[in-house]
């Protein structure tokens, strides 16, 4: 299938990009790595008349850590650079691990983390770990910018909370809680180059006595958007987690998940996976939390 | 193991260098002056009468140079065999599946051609459709072809011995039904064609084909022109696996458009085209009833199959014959009854894929073999040894096993895999190990002309050029032919160049299918080389005053005893300048001497091939019982390929077979719902990746098949047929559940485990 024709716009600044986006409205799309956008255009699912390239804006591909500000991932930082980044490995290893589970080297060299989030499909692998880490998205627009919690960002399949003329310029990941650990488990049929039949990110922070001080669970492909499993979290928060509680929490997650049947997997199988991955994920996050120094 | 100087050696593939540097060009790389780009319009409904096709808007689009519909094509039906020519190349009045070609456009560029397709208006009057072959056979089902009552395209029935008596005499009888879906051939280079007509009315077409001579025949019949007016040129072929044997709409649309536009036209399939029309593995429902003695010896078997062929006969009876063939090899079955149907449906057309019609049946037989072994408390290795065909045996349908290394292959694989230590002991850790066997005919006789020929000419400097019609689709036939010719002439393979892939230039060759090329083509080339040797040795012998038999060709020279009389080049030179026989041209043709066409009047009895390969494979898996995820850890295999002509290429075939078989067993499936392919992309149609590939350990049993070239048998297909059973049986060993339907997905395993748990509780 052929790429439909479009006009390629090369703004030099974020402001200019936002203005173009505001001007052309639904006829325009932001182009990062294009690994989601271009296949959709080829299949004529969308046919934007304008593509606003972010590549022409300098300096957007950073991955940066500053003690006060946390980890900042620029809009053009690729999955491959996140995967290989020493500061990601040190501060939020789960993000690098997640990138390793995605696509292939060739695709990861093009694909961006921000693009994965803004594409907002239920199976976006970067969403669950960023959700359990409490990430925020820095959003620029022709007017005033804002910092949007990733929590409220996904509004439906392919739909985000971005308004007219808004562009995500960076993802801000706060410092992980003390004595906490996070993992992302992705269930696929194949061992590489496969989309998640189910993805589960878990974060557990322990208190001095080993009880669960805080916990977050986020799921991919378990609902029309990436979701938090809030009731499952409630079961665990403040308690000493044992096998019985883990079973109760994963049952709660199974119940609050809203997966659907597709050619890839049935609803009931996905529900089963929710239970398995949540329970395994919590157990693994706990052992990471125990091992974590601070 | 017999040692040769060139044969059997790890000679690198002659095409590797140009392929890895990117110099090798494929159809899509070809650009001719004035060439247009063609695109094909496909049906969006499964079964309908075409009321009208309005191409006027497309014709008016600037840049469009030709639009063709079925009315522009001769009213001639094409197909693979005489009995299966039931398909108009571009359909006229009816469409019978989603994706069927209706019209084609040639334009200055691809975008314009694609845009023009969108301007063609087809008005359909939808007809009731049928997608389930069993329902299609019922009275009152929608009729798909006028000449087929109850939509039965073809049927085959064999009856050997007395199965009912056999079942009565058995100690244990069981019946199971298995299903295998449709699989993509999955080659890398899409099907493509460039076509050009010259002022004399000669059609030249550049294609990516496994069978250029069949294509020439069909194009000559279609256009009612002699075969000499059709030239089919194969460039490098980026894989085939069965999917590039047949004429298809890519060839027809390119040639029709080129004729109408008066300019060369290129048509290249997209991935979506491939999913719509690529000939794929035929889906098969197989019911097997088997009776055995207490010791596991098979007494009787009935095998009943219904295959979903889509709305055309395509490769015809071969697929269903092959199911029965797979019942007959590699175990002894004294009483056997076979009832097979190829049924018309409104799904896509089913055709051949590597292990054609046989991998399905091997999966069924091998799964059931383990069920029987389990019921009788026999080790799966032992039950296979008990039934394995031995050298000298003749099967009830007449297949003659001159050699068989199956027993040694099973024993060797069991030993090397640590079978005894592992079998039945890993379930607690989710580990399992399973075995499966198979075999394959080396070039079965399926058409009236299946001979091969080779021509050798000698350059002025004694370099050798071999002409063969064989299509090297990556398997390495261009390499092994240099090896066998070099061996006969006692020279290095680098002295030999090969010319293939041009029907105007090379002798006839049916094609690269049915595991026939090495056997037939190498035997023909050996004969040609022997002819050349005679042409050189005889005059030289009289000059040297020795008998021709005293001269031996080796090491690039002619030897009398230990004495090197002259170099090969000197000998050639001597002949070239000495006489009227100076122009050295040699030829060889081959047809296996004792092969029979299976006789329809006599239960399809007959020895269909000159030799039979065997394989035994042991798979080890790890299964996550909660998610159903399977990891294929290791495959330990033994094969009997007679003698490996090129060890490196033989390994490549084995490893590629394991990977392809793994895909069909664990991941792949063309999901079709109401005639529509639901997963027409490589995201949702999952081929195995290198990360999924297991450790492999393959060892050959050398049997030196008397009729094979240097003792070789086939290596391309006998290996793949035994993979699904090995994995299925390993999964059973790990979990205790049987999955009687491919692919064995994690979801199916979880469901089966849940059902088993419930059963245990109630
Ligand atoms: C072969 C293959 C395998 C894949 N495997 C995976 C996988 O395993 N897991 C997975 O989750 N995904 C996978 N993907 C999908 C895709 O690669 C990822 O989602 C990727 O991260 C998208 O990033 P991108 O930069 O390519 O986005 P683009 O395609 O450039 O953009 C995606 C969408 O986001 C918008 N957008 C991009 N950047 C911004 C921004 N800064 N502000 C506002 N809007 C923006 C675009 O307008 C577009 O709508 C795969 C894709 C392919 C082709």
């Amino acid at each position: 299938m052929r790429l439909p024709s479009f006009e390629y716009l090369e703004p030099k600044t974020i402001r200019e990009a936002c203005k173009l986006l505001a001007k052309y409205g639904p006829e325009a799309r932001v182009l990062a790595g294009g690994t989601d956008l271009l296949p959709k255009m080829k299949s004529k699912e969308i046919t934007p008349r304008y593509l606003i390239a972010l590549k022409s804006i300098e300096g957007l591909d950073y991955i940066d850590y500053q003690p006060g500000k946390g980890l900042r991932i620029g809009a053009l930082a690729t999955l491959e650079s996140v995967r290989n980044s020493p500061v990601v490995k040190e501060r939020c290893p789960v993000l690098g691990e997640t990138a390793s589970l995605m696509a292939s080297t060739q695709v990861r060299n093009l694909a961006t983390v921000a693009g994965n989030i803004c594409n907002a499909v239920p199976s976006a692998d970067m969403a669950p770990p960023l959700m359990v880490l409490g990430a925020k998205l820095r959003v620029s627009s022709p007017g005033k910018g804002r910092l949007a919690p990733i929590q409220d960002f996904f509004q439906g399949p392919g739909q985000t909370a971005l308004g007219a003329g808004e562009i995500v310029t960076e993802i801000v990941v706060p410092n992980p809680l003390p004595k906490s650990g996070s993992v992302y488990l992705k269930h696929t049929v194949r061992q590489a180059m496969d989309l998640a039949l189910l993805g589960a990110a878990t974060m557990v922070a322990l208190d001095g006595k080993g009880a669960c001080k805080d916990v977050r669970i986020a799921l991919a492909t378990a609902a029309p958007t990436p979701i938090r499993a809030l009731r499952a979290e409630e079961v665990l928060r403040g308690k000493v987690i044992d096998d019985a509680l883990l079973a109760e929490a994963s049952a709660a997650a199974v119940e609050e998940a809203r997966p659907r049947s597709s050619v890839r997997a049935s609803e009931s199988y996905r529900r089963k996976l929710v239970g398995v991955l949540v329970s395994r994920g919590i157990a693994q996050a706990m052992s990471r939390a125990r091992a974590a120094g601070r | 193991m017999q040692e040769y100087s060139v044969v059997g050696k790890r000679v690198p593939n002659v095409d590797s260098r140009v392929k890895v540097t990117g110099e090798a060009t494929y159809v899509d790389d070809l650009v001719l002056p004035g060439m247009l780009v063609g695109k094909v319009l496909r049906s969006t409904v499964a079964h309908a009468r075409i009321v009208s096709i309005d191409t006027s808007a497309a014709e008016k689009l600037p840049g469009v140079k030709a639009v063709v519909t079925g009315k522009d094509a001769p009213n001639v039906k094409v197909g693979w065999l005489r009995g299966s020519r039931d398909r108009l190349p571009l359909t006229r009045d009816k469409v019978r599946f989603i994706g069927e070609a209706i019209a084609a456009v040639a334009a200055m560029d691809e975008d314009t051609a694609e845009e023009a397709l969108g301007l063609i208006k087809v008005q359909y009057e939808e007809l009731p459709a049928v997608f389930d072959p069993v329902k299609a056979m019922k009275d009152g089902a929608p009729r798909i072809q006028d000449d087929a009552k109850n939509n039965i395209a073809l049927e085959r029935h064999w009856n050997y011995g007395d199965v009912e008596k056999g079942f009565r005499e058995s100690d244990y009888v069981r019946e199971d039904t298995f299903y295998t879906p449709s699989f993509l051939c999955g080659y890398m280079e899409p099907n493509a064609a460039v076509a050009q007509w010259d002022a004399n009315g000669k059609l030249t077409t550049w294609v990516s084909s496994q069978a250029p001579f069949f294509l020439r025949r069909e194009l000559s019949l279609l256009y009612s022109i002699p075969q000499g007016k059709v030239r089919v040129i194969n460039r490098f072929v980026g894989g085939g696996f069965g999917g590039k044997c047949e004429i298809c709409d890519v060839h027809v649309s390119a040639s029709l458009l080129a004729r109408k536009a008066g300019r060369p036209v290129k048509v290249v399939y997209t991935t979506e085209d491939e999913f719509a029309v690529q000939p794929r593995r035929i889906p098969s429902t197989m019911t097997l009833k088997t009776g055995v003695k207490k010791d596991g010896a098979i007494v009787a078997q009935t095998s009943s199959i219904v295959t979903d062929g889509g709305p055309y006969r395509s490769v015809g009876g071969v697929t269903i014959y092959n199911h029965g063939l797979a019942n007959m090899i590699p175990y002894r079955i004294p009483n056997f009854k076979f009832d097979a149907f190829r049924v018309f449906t409104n799904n896509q057309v089913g055709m051949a894929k590597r292990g054609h019609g046989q991998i399905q049946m091997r999966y069924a037989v091998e799964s059931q073999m383990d069920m029987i072994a389990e019921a009788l408390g026999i080790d799966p290795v032992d039950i296979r040894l008990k039934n394995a065909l031995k050298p000298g045996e003749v099967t009830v349908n007449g297949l003659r096993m001159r050699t068989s290394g199956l027993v040694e292959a099973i024993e060797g694989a069991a030993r090397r895999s640590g079978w005894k230590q592992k079998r039945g002991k890993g379930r607690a850790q989710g580990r399992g190990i399973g075995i499966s066997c198979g075999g394959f005919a080396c070039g079965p006789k399926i058409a009236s002309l299946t001979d091969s020929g080779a021509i050798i000419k000698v350059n002025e400097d004694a370099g050798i050029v071999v002409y063969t019609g064989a299509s090297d689709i990556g398997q390495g036939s261009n390499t092994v032919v240099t090896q066998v010719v070099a061996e006969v002439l006692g020279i290095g393979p680098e002295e030999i160049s090969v010319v293939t892939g041009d029907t105007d230039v090379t002798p006839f060759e049916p094609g690269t299918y049915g595991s026939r090329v090495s056997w037939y083509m190498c035997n023909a080339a050996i004969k040609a080389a022997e002819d050349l040797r005679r042409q050189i040795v005889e005059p030289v012998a009289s000059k040297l005053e020795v008998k021709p038999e005293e001269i031996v060709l080796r090491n690039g020279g002619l030897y009398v005893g230990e004495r090197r009389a002259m170099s090969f080049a000197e000998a050639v030179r001597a002949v070239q300048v000495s006489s009227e026989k100076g122009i050295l041209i040699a030829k060889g043709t081959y047809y296996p001497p004792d092969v029979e066409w299976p006789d329809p009047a006599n239960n399809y009895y007959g020895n269909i091939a000159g030799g039979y390969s065997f394989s035994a494979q042991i798979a080890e898996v790890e299964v996550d019982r909660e998610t159903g995820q399977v990891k294929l850890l290791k495959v330990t295999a033994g094969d009997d390929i007679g003698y490996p002509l090129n060890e490196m290429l033989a390994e490549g075939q084995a490893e590629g077979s394991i990977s392809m078989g793994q895909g069909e067993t664990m991941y792949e499936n063309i999901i079709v719902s109401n005639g529509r392919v639901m997963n027409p992309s490589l995201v949702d149609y999952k081929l195995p990746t290198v990360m999924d590939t297991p450790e492999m350990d393959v060892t050959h049993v050398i049997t030196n098949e008397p009729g094979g070239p240097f003792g070789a048998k086939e290596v391309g297909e006998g290996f793949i047929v035994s993979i699904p059973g090995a994995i299925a049986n390993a999964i059973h060993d790990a979990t205790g559940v049987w999955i009687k339907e491919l692919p064995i997905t994690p979801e199916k395993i979880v469901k089966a485990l849940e059902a088993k748990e419930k059963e245990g509780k109630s």
Side-chain angles (χ1 to χ4, degrees):
Chain A
M1 277 184 285
R2 305 281 292 167
L3 202 52
S5 55
F6 56 86
E7 210 170 307
Y8 184 73
L9 307 175
E10 295 183 282
K12 292 283 172 283
T13 62
I14 289 170
R15 229 188 123 61
E16 201 188 325
C18 292
K19 275 192 181 155
L20 287 169
L21 192 55
K23 179 173 165 198
Y24 293 119
E27 289 199 303
R29 291 284 172 139
V30 172
L31 175 71
T35 62
D36 277 317
L37 195 57
L38 299 190
K40 268 196 223 167
M41 287 170 64
K42 283 188 175 179
S43 67
K44 315 275 191 297
E45 211 179 299
I46 52 168
T47 47
R49 284 184 55 195
Y50 304 96
L51 289 190
I52 302 167
L54 296 183
K55 293 234 156 113
S56 49
I57 305 172
E58 241 163 78
L60 273 183
D61 60 353
Y62 56 87
I63 300 172
D64 190 33
Y65 176 78
Q66 282 167 30
K69 296 186 178 162
L71 183 70
R72 289 159 52 245
I73 300 172
L76 282 186
T78 62
L79 296 175
E80 191 63 17
S81 64
V82 166
R83 179 168 118 99
N84 298 325
S85 157
V87 330
V88 168
K89 195 169 174 159
E90 194 193 330
R91 298 287 156 187
C92 303
V94 66
L95 294 180
E97 292 160 7
T98 302
S100 291
L101 299 172
M102 295 171 71
S104 62
T105 310
Q106 292 92 327
V107 173
R108 286 194 299 264
N109 275 325
L110 289 168
T112 62
V113 181
N116 187 249
I117 298 304
C118 293
N119 195 52
V121 291
S123 61
D125 283 314
M126 273 293 167
L130 287 170
M131 286 163 92
V132 301
L133 292 172
K136 293 194 169 68
L137 309 175
R138 191 174 305 283
V139 177
S140 293
S141 70
K144 253 182 94 185
R146 63 190 175 105
L147 205 55
I150 192 168
Q151 219 48 56
D152 314 322
F153 190 68
F154 304 110
Q155 311 248 301
Q159 280 166 357
T160 67
L162 288 177
E166 286 194 321
I167 291 175
V168 172
T169 55
E170 69 176 11
I171 298 166
V172 184
V173 188
N175 280 331
L177 296 173
K179 237 179 153 34
S180 70
S182 306
V183 295
Y184 179 61
L185 300 180
K186 175 179 179 179
H187 180 77
T188 55
V189 174
R190 275 194 305 219
Q191 293 180 44
M193 273 289 280
D194 214 351
L195 299 180
L197 288 186
L198 202 91
T202 46
M203 188 286 299
V204 177
L206 298 174
D207 65 14
K209 297 189 209 88
C212 169
K213 191 165 170 215
D214 200 2
V215 57
R216 288 187 209 127
I217 302 169
L219 305 172
T221 333
T225 65
I227 53 163
R228 282 275 290 278
L230 295 169
R231 269 180 274 156
E233 293 175 7
E234 227 29 70
V235 172
L236 300 170
R237 195 166 286 122
K239 310 241 176 67
V240 174
I241 300 174
D242 58 13
D243 284 354
L245 203 63
L246 208 49
E248 198 185 316
S250 56
V254 169
E255 201 149 292
E256 65 191 306
R258 288 170 286 131
R260 63 179 190 107
S261 290
S262 73
V263 290
R264 293 175 183 158
S266 72
E267 183 206 324
S268 66
Y269 180 58
R270 284 196 218 266
R271 276 192 195 283
K272 162 106 191 168
L273 291 173
V274 170
V276 174
L277 296 200
V278 164
S279 130
R280 286 181 186 178
I282 294 287
Q284 289 179 27
M286 280 207 307
S287 61
R288 283 193 171 185
R290 283 195 205 101
R294 290 160 293 132
Chain B
M1 184 158 149
Q2 168 127 20
E3 279 293 327
Y4 300 103
S5 41
V6 188
V7 162
K9 296 290 183 286
R10 305 179 73 89
V11 175
N13 196 320
V14 295
D15 294 336
S16 295
R17 234 172 248 270
V18 290
K19 281 187 179 169
V20 298
T21 55
E23 285 164 49
T25 56
Y26 296 82
V27 179
D28 195 28
D29 296 314
L30 181 67
V31 177
L32 298 178
M35 188 177 78
L36 304 170
V37 178
K39 287 265 167 195
V40 181
L41 183 74
R42 305 192 174 283
S43 164
T44 54
V45 296
H47 198 194
R49 203 172 65 78
I50 297 176
V51 179
S52 65
I53 307 174
D54 180 358
T55 58
S56 54
E59 278 159 30
K60 283 192 206 107
L61 186 72
V64 170
K65 299 293 171 191
V67 180
V68 294
T69 67
K71 303 244 155 52
D72 295 279
N75 196 10
V76 173
K77 289 180 174 173
V78 294
W80 209 55
L81 298 164
R82 196 178 307 135
S84 66
R85 292 203 181 102
D86 59 1
R87 186 168 178 181
L88 287 170
L90 284 183
T91 188
R92 288 189 171 200
D93 307 326
K94 259 190 183 181
V95 290
R96 295 182 173 86
F97 68 95
I98 294 175
E100 182 155 24
I102 298 173
V105 173
M108 298 299 288
D109 57 60
E110 207 176 338
D111 286 334
T112 308
E114 202 167 87
E115 193 183 338
L117 288 187
L119 297 175
I120 299 174
K121 288 186 200 69
V122 184
Q123 209 189 330
Y124 300 106
E125 177 192 312
E126 283 208 50
L127 299 170
V130 60
F131 305 105
D132 173 345
V134 175
K135 284 189 190 142
M137 288 166 84
K138 297 226 164 87
D139 287 337
R143 190 177 257 214
I144 296 172
Q145 293 281 5
D146 293 337
D147 66 347
K149 204 172 159 284
N150 291 90
N151 291 312
I152 294 170
L154 290 153
E155 55 190 297
R156 295 283 183 270
H157 304 279
W158 320 347
N159 197 350
Y160 294 108
D162 184 342
V163 284
E164 287 314 319
K165 184 160 166 280
F167 288 136
R168 281 197 302 277
E169 288 169 2
S170 297
D171 296 318
Y172 178 73
V173 179
R174 70 174 292 144
E175 185 178 296
D176 300 278
T177 297
F178 299 88
Y179 175 74
T180 55
S182 184
F183 298 115
L184 198 68
C185 288
Y187 40 70
M188 283 207 279
E189 185 198 9
N191 226 328
V194 173
Q196 182 176 37
W197 295 81
D198 72 12
N200 293 324
K202 179 165 179 167
L203 168 64
T204 302
T205 184
W206 292 260
V207 297
S208 175
S209 172
Q210 293 178 244
F213 284 90
F214 279 14
L215 192 52
R216 178 177 75 168
R217 182 194 66 200
E218 293 308 309
L219 288 169
S220 127
L221 289 171
L222 176 67
Y223 291 111
S224 301
I225 50 178
Q227 292 183 353
K229 288 236 169 190
V230 181
R231 181 178 183 189
V232 178
I233 299 176
N234 232 354
R235 299 164 73 81
F236 287 94
V237 179
F241 307 113
K244 291 178 182 168
C245 289
E246 244 186 335
I247 184 168
C248 57
D249 59 60
V250 76
H251 310 116
V252 176
S253 55
S255 53
L256 279 175
L257 288 167
R259 191 171 69 164
K260 190 157 178 183
R263 292 165 70 160
V265 174
K266 177 197 284 180
V267 183
V268 180
Y269 277 171
T270 60
T271 302
E272 294 71 24
D273 286 324
E274 289 286 353
F275 272 98
V277 295
Q278 181 185 109
R280 72 270 320 271
R281 176 146 1 261
I282 212 166
S284 193
T285 302
M286 299 159 284
T287 299
L288 272 182
K289 184 175 173 187
T290 306
V292 298
K293 288 287 191 194
K294 270 200 203 71
D295 62 2
I298 300 169
V299 185
Q301 186 169 75
T302 59
S303 173
S304 313
I305 66 161
V306 175
T307 62
D308 171 1
Y312 297 103
R313 285 182 180 81
S314 177
V315 66
V318 180
T319 317
I320 55 180
Y321 173 89
N322 279 357
H323 277 72
L325 193 60
N327 282 114
M328 296 281 84
I329 316 171
Y331 305 133
R332 189 181 310 108
I333 306 176
N335 301 288
F336 179 69
K337 187 166 180 292
F338 180 57
D339 295 290
F341 297 91
R342 181 183 173 110
V343 179
F344 287 134
T345 67
N346 294 109
N347 295 319
Q348 286 71 24
V349 182
M351 217 269 193
K353 182 180 174 186
R354 192 185 204 175
H356 181 193
Q358 302 183 51
I359 186 169
Q360 296 99 319
M361 185 55 82
R362 287 316 312 154
Y363 156 66
V365 170
E366 294 292 332
S367 297
Q368 194 187 49
M369 198 75 166
D370 267 29
M371 296 172 191
I372 292 169
E374 189 174 66
L376 297 178
I378 305 176
D379 186 291
V381 164
D382 294 336
I383 198 168
R384 287 173 172 79
L385 287 172
K386 178 99 216 156
N387 290 292
L389 287 169
K390 305 227 164 68
E393 287 196 64
V394 180
T395 65
V396 287
N397 67 328
L399 313 177
R400 290 195 284 276
M401 308 292 137
R402 267 206 220 79
T403 63
S404 164
L406 181 58
V407 166
E408 295 88 331
I410 296 172
E411 287 171 345
R415 193 174 55 248
R416 281 180 289 118
S417 65
W419 174 269
K420 280 246 148 46
Q421 296 82 50
K422 292 175 182 165
R423 173 72 189 184
K425 302 192 179 80
R427 197 168 291 176
Q429 299 83 46
R431 289 283 192 119
I433 185 167
I435 184 171
S436 164
C437 300
F440 216 82
C442 307
K445 181 163 178 63
I446 57 168
S448 43
L449 185 59
T450 52
D451 307 27
S452 281
I455 297 171
I456 297 179
K457 80 171 188 190
V458 182
N459 293 337
E460 300 88 286
D461 66 355
I464 302 292
V465 187
V466 184
Y467 294 76
T468 91
S471 303
D472 193 333
I473 59 172
Q475 86 277 28
S477 56
N478 287 351
T479 306
V480 291
V481 71
T482 66
Q483 289 179 265
V484 298
V485 170
E487 191 71 44
V488 173
L489 299 177
I491 56 180
E494 66 284 350
E495 308 288 335
I496 296 163
S497 49
V498 184
V499 176
T500 60
D502 187 336
T503 56
D504 265 8
V505 174
T506 75
F508 171 79
E509 164 78 25
T512 301
Y513 60 80
S515 278
R516 56 176 306 292
V517 173
S518 290
W519 184 288
Y520 280 71
M521 184 272 286
C522 286
N523 267 325
I526 289 169
K527 287 190 172 184
E530 286 168 351
D531 175 19
L532 178 64
R533 183 172 61 188
R534 194 180 40 74
Q535 291 185 46
I536 296 168
V537 166
E538 278 177 5
V540 169
S542 68
K543 225 163 128 192
L544 294 174
E545 298 180 342
V546 297
K547 290 204 203 85
E549 309 85 79
E550 288 176 72
I551 295 180
V552 176
L553 271 62
R554 62 181 155 92
N555 254 338
L558 278 66
Y559 287 75
V560 179
E562 284 308 302
R563 183 172 67 87
R564 187 183 172 100
M566 61 180 83
S567 73
F568 181 78
E570 285 163 349
V572 166
R573 189 76 192 146
V575 179
Q576 282 173 336
V577 299
S578 68
S579 69
E580 73 277 12
K581 288 180 186 156
I583 302 292
L584 287 165
I585 299 171
K587 71 173 172 50
T589 61
Y590 175 78
Y591 184 72
D594 57 351
V595 162
E596 296 135 14
W597 174 251
D599 182 4
N602 181 22
N603 258 327
Y604 292 86
Y605 186 91
N607 184 40
I608 195 168
Y612 301 87
S613 72
F614 296 95
S615 64
Q617 311 211 39
I618 291 180
E620 291 173 64
V621 299
E622 189 176 274
V623 184
D624 181 329
R625 289 175 68 92
E626 285 187 307
T627 63
Q629 177 81 280
V630 178
K631 246 188 221 165
L632 179 58
L633 303 171
K634 186 172 181 189
V635 173
T636 309
D639 64 15
D640 164 10
I641 55 171
Y643 185 92
L645 290 174
N646 180 322
E647 181 56 44
M648 194 149 55
L649 292 173
E651 277 170 11
Q653 288 296 320
E655 291 171 4
S657 291
I658 290 172
S659 183
M660 186 175 265
Q662 173 188 12
E664 294 195 4
T665 312
M666 295 169 58
Y667 313 125
E668 296 175 43
N669 181 6
I670 301 183
I671 303 169
V672 184
S673 170
N674 290 330
R676 190 172 301 282
V677 177
M678 303 305 285
N679 56 339
S681 80
L682 296 175
V683 173
D684 283 320
Y685 184 89
K686 294 181 202 299
L687 294 158
T689 70
V690 73
M691 300 304 287
D692 301 291
T693 306
E695 186 188 341
M696 303 173 191
D697 165 3
V698 180
T699 302
H700 311 300
V701 177
I702 304 299
T703 54
N704 287 312
E705 179 67 27
F710 291 98
K713 301 183 180 180
E714 71 85 37
V715 324
E717 301 187 84
F719 210 85
I720 192 173
V721 300
S722 49
I723 259 289
I727 298 174
N729 291 339
I731 290 172
H732 176 75
D733 189 42
T735 60
V737 299
W738 293 111
I739 311 293
K740 297 186 185 179
E741 175 188 305
L742 295 184
I744 304 177
T745 59
E747 178 162 1
K748 286 181 195 166
I749 293 173
V750 164
K751 292 238 162 80
L753 281 167
E754 282 172 354
K756 198 174 166 223
E757 209 165 286
K758 260 191 211 137
E759 213 174 84
K761 275 186 193 145
S762 62

